[in-house]
Amino acid sequence: LSGDGPLRMAAHYAVVTAVPDPGRSGAAVLLGSEAGLAERILDATPLSATYASESFAAALAATGGTMPEAQFVGDLAEGLHGAAIPLFALATQP
């Protein structure tokens, strides 16, 4: 990272399979029905924000402790099987 300007991040929690990509010196490629969802979430995320799927927000909440707060911000249209994907903004608690 160059540190030039604001970042945006996306998070999703799902089962994927990591396989080596022979065309990229063995770099990992993620395979699975939800492997590309984090990229779709990132496209909907504004600068200086972190957006997460409902599954990631739920997993984060289940850990307990002082975790970032997840606030519903809207739906990502047409997720897996055509259903909308609820999106949550993650923010550190003051």
Side-chain angles (χ1 to χ4, degrees), residues 9-24:
M9 296 190 313
H12 179 53
Y13 187 79
V15 176
V16 295
T17 301
V19 296
D21 180 0
R24 294 182 49 207

Side-chain angles (χ1 to χ4, degrees), residues 25-57:
S25 305
V29 174
L30 300 179
L31 302 175
S33 62
E34 298 188 36
L37 186 54
E39 186 174 353
R40 290 192 55 219
I41 294 170
L42 185 63
D43 289 341
T45 304
L47 289 175
S48 301
T50 301
Y51 277 12
S53 65
E54 184 175 34
S55 60
F56 187 89

Side-chain angles (χ1 to χ4, degrees), residues 36-88:
L37 186 54
E39 186 174 353
R40 290 192 55 219
I41 294 170
L42 185 63
D43 289 341
T45 304
L47 289 175
S48 301
T50 301
Y51 277 12
S53 65
E54 184 175 34
S55 60
F56 187 89
L60 192 62
T63 64
T66 0
M67 295 293 159
E69 181 180 318
Q71 182 176 19
F72 177 73
V73 292
D75 291 321
L76 183 63
E78 296 183 28
L80 186 62
H81 308 296
I85 304 292
L87 294 181
F88 294 81

